[in-house]
């Protein structure tokens, strides 16, 4: 009998334990659901607040954009009405000096090319003595500028203040293109003054000696009309700056 009572008590304890566990489980599920609902509510409220905040921010940005556009329009009107324009003669002179304007007039034409590689030349001179060098071309161009050239071309391309060329071997690198002899330079200006400048150039005087000895190519003639086409693109400055307190418009006048 004692054993039966013990068994019944164990069953009661088990039932009570199961009931307690079920009660706790149900309570935890309900609590979790309430927590989830409250969290969802907070998230919904947070999302709504975010939308309201961003809407307000967008409206502020649109207002700022409108104010900036109005300021730009006002400044553009002021610039159009108050900034002076370059005098016509200054504008033309600037375009001419930058090589951005085609010009035609009297001038000169010169050509330079390599000497023939004859047995006599190869026996008496080095191959370096038989080709046109970069300093030869530079000497010709500098002499023409010194003689008052108003515009110039090298291989038909306009020479501008930023033009740079190199001679590698017997080829010329100019504006990204490669040229072989003859190298042709044409200049617009007073033909007599240009001829005198070429005759008095120390570099070209040395070149003329090689013309006589190894037959380096040389051709020079005055021209009634020389055309220098406009440069294909305007020169750009990377390092040059205008000094402070410089009135560009006063300089232009």
């Amino acid at each position: 009998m004692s054993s039966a009572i013990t068994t019944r008590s164990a069953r009661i304890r088990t039932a009570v334990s199961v009931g307690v566990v079920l009660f706790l489980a149900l309570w935890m599920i309900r609590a979790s659901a309430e927590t989830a609902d409250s969290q969802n509510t907070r998230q919904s409220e947070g999302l709504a607040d975010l939308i309201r905040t961003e809407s307000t921010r967008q409206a502020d940005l649109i207002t700022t954009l409108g104010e900036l556009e109005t300021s730009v329009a006002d400044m553009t009107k002021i610039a159009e009405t108050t900034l002076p324009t370059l005098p016509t003669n200054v504008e033309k002179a600037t375009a001419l000096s930058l090589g951005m304007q085609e010009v035609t007039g009297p001038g000169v034409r010169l050509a330079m090319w390599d000497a023939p590689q004859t047995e006599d030349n190869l026996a008496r001179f080095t191959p370096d003595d038989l080709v046109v060098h970069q300093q030869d071309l530079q000497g010709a161009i500098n002499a023409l500028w010194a003689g008052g050239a108003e515009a110039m071309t090298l291989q038909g391309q306009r020479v501008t203040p930023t033009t740079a060329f190199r001679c590698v071997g017997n080829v010329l690198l100019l504006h990204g293109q490669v040229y072989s002899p003859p190298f042709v330079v044409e200049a617009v200006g007073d033909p007599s003054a240009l001829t005198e400048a070429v005759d008095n150039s120390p570099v070209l005087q040395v070149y003329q000696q090689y013309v006589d000895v190894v037959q380096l190519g040389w051709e020079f003639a005055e021209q009634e009309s020389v055309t220098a086409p406009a440069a294909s693109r305007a020169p750009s400055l990377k390092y040059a700056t205008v000094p402070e307190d410089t009135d560009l418009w006063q300089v232009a006048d």
Side-chain angles (χ1 to χ4, degrees):
M1 183 170 179
S2 175
S3 176
I5 294 173
T6 302
T7 302
R8 188 179 298 112
S9 298
R11 289 178 179 175
I12 293 173
R13 286 196 298 270
T14 301
V16 171
S17 298
V18 171
V20 171
V21 170
L22 289 175
F23 173 78
L24 291 174
L26 291 173
W27 181 83
M28 292 178 65
I29 292 172
R30 182 178 179 182
S32 298
E34 291 177 353
T35 302
D37 290 340
S38 63
Q39 288 177 348
N40 290 337
T41 301
R42 285 196 296 271
Q43 290 176 357
S44 299
E45 291 177 353
L47 181 59
D49 291 340
L50 179 62
I51 292 174
R52 284 192 293 269
T53 300
E54 291 302 317
S55 298
T56 303
R57 181 170 173 269
Q58 182 182 14
D60 293 340
L61 290 175
I62 292 175
T63 301
T64 302
L65 177 61
E67 294 173 351
L68 291 174
E69 289 177 342
T70 302
S71 298
V72 170
D74 293 341
M75 294 176 66
T76 301
K77 291 180 181 179
I78 294 174
E80 291 176 348
T81 56
T82 61
L83 287 179
T85 57
L86 283 173
T88 303
N89 61 327
V90 174
E91 186 175 359
K92 289 183 178 180
T94 302
L96 179 63
S97 63
L98 294 177
M100 300 308 298
Q101 178 177 325
E102 179 180 298
V103 295
T104 301
V108 298
R109 178 185 186 276
L110 67 83
M112 310 168 80
W113 60 91
D114 298 341
Q117 295 190 7
T118 62
E119 291 185 7
D120 183 59
N121 278 345
L122 293 175
R124 298 169 54 198
F125 302 95
T126 67
D128 206 42
D129 296 325
L130 306 179
V131 298
V132 178
H133 291 283
Q134 181 170 322
Q135 62 264 29
D136 301 325
L137 272 175
Q138 287 177 333
I141 291 174
N142 290 339
L144 292 172
W145 285 131
E150 298 177 358
M152 194 181 308
T153 63
L154 173 59
Q155 300 301 90
Q157 295 198 46
R158 186 68 170 268
V159 178
T160 70
T162 57
T163 294
F165 64 88
R166 291 184 59 195
C167 288
V168 180
N170 67 336
V171 297
L172 171 68
L173 306 180
L174 173 66
H175 295 166
Q177 299 185 39
V178 180
Y179 297 94
S180 298
F183 304 127
V184 179
V185 181
E186 292 184 314
V188 177
D190 181 359
S192 299
L194 295 174
T195 300
E196 182 179 358
V198 169
D199 291 340
N200 293 331
S201 168
V203 175
L204 295 181
Q205 288 174 356
V206 173
Y207 184 87
Q208 291 293 338
Q209 295 175 9
Y210 279 82
V211 171
D212 296 334
V213 176
V214 300
Q215 298 179 332
L216 270 176
W218 174 259
E219 184 180 274
F220 182 87
E222 297 182 0
Q223 305 289 315
E224 293 183 359
S225 179
V226 173
T227 298
S232 58
R233 56 185 177 182
S236 59
L237 301 179
K238 295 182 179 180
Y239 306 103
T241 58
V242 178
E244 294 183 2
D245 302 326
T246 299
D247 188 344
L248 294 179
W249 304 109
Q250 184 177 4
V251 172
D253 293 338

